[in-house]
Amino acid sequence: MIVEQIVVGPLASNCYIFGDEEAGRGIVVDPGADAPLILGAIARLGLEIEAIVATHGHFDHVGAAGEVRERTGAPFLAHPQEQEALAAARLRAQLFAGLDIPQPPPPDRLLEEGEVLSVGRYTLRVAHAPGHSPGHIVLLGDSLAFVGDVLFAGSVGRTDLPGGDYTALMQSISRLLLPLPDETVVYPGHGPVTTIGRERLTNPFLLGLAEEP
């Protein structure tokens, strides 16, 4: 199994390349910026990219989606409720951060709740996790989770952006992430990699937060 973390862009977003080394297949999660850096890693790893997945449509997670899509030929996938954010990504980058990013393409295909993405011998399940944004998703695999901006090491996603909802965010964490085993590796959209067990014990936002059945 390959999991490569690439820190990209002025907001230090995490882009991930997830793949099966033996099969030579992979996907890109959240290509936020610095397309040449992402493409160079893909070439070095020798993977054929089968999909480009946005956990959500905020500009710092999709700024390189168009170029990576063009160069790899892989389809761009996102949740239906992120189409508005994707369409507004370039404008919001200018308004909120004074940045000029390439406009990301519309999704080639919309992801469905519970859909399973196959990457060689491995699979990732798509789970709708609203709160940071309406159509945010997490990708749940075997002892790992790509969580975008839902959960961070020592923190949780902000909810003061358009479509944010703190109650929904905490419900998403309770329903989807806290039931995972402690050893589950959490790959967040910003900051260091962590585990569910570490966050369960030390994240101040999660203390006393109950798992939903």
Side-chain angles (χ1 to χ4, degrees), residues 29-87:
V29 180
D30 286 352
D34 300 328
L37 191 63
I38 298 168
L39 292 164
I42 292 169
R44 172 172 50 80
L45 294 168
L47 297 176
E48 180 177 343
I49 299 301
E50 298 184 321
I52 302 159
V53 182
T55 60
H56 60 297
H58 290 168
F59 67 86
D60 55 322
H61 292 261
V62 296
E67 186 172 349
V68 174
R69 175 179 175 267
E70 180 180 353
R71 293 284 300 276
T72 63
F76 179 46
L77 313 181
H79 190 275
Q81 289 178 255
E82 290 300 285
Q83 292 178 94
E84 185 275 335
L86 288 167

Side-chain angles (χ1 to χ4, degrees), residues 42-157:
I42 292 169
R44 172 172 50 80
L45 294 168
L47 297 176
E48 180 177 343
I49 299 301
E50 298 184 321
I52 302 159
V53 182
T55 60
H56 60 297
H58 290 168
F59 67 86
D60 55 322
H61 292 261
V62 296
E67 186 172 349
V68 174
R69 175 179 175 267
E70 180 180 353
R71 293 284 300 276
T72 63
F76 179 46
L77 313 181
H79 190 275
Q81 289 178 255
E82 290 300 285
Q83 292 178 94
E84 185 275 335
L86 288 167
R90 187 177 188 190
L91 177 60
R92 288 176 177 168
Q94 295 168 343
L95 291 176
F96 296 141
L99 299 173
D100 188 19
I101 69 164
Q103 175 60 38
D108 296 296
R109 187 168 67 77
L110 299 175
L111 292 166
E112 299 180 4
E113 168 70 22
E115 180 175 345
V116 174
L117 302 176
S118 295
V119 186
R121 295 166 293 169
Y122 307 112
T123 59
L124 296 170
R125 179 172 63 87
V126 175
H128 184 209
H132 179 66
S133 66
H136 199 298
I137 62 167
V138 297
L139 301 174
L140 305 176
D142 184 12
S143 297
L144 60 83
F146 296 100
V147 300
D149 286 1
V150 171
L151 179 65
F152 303 119
S155 189
V156 297

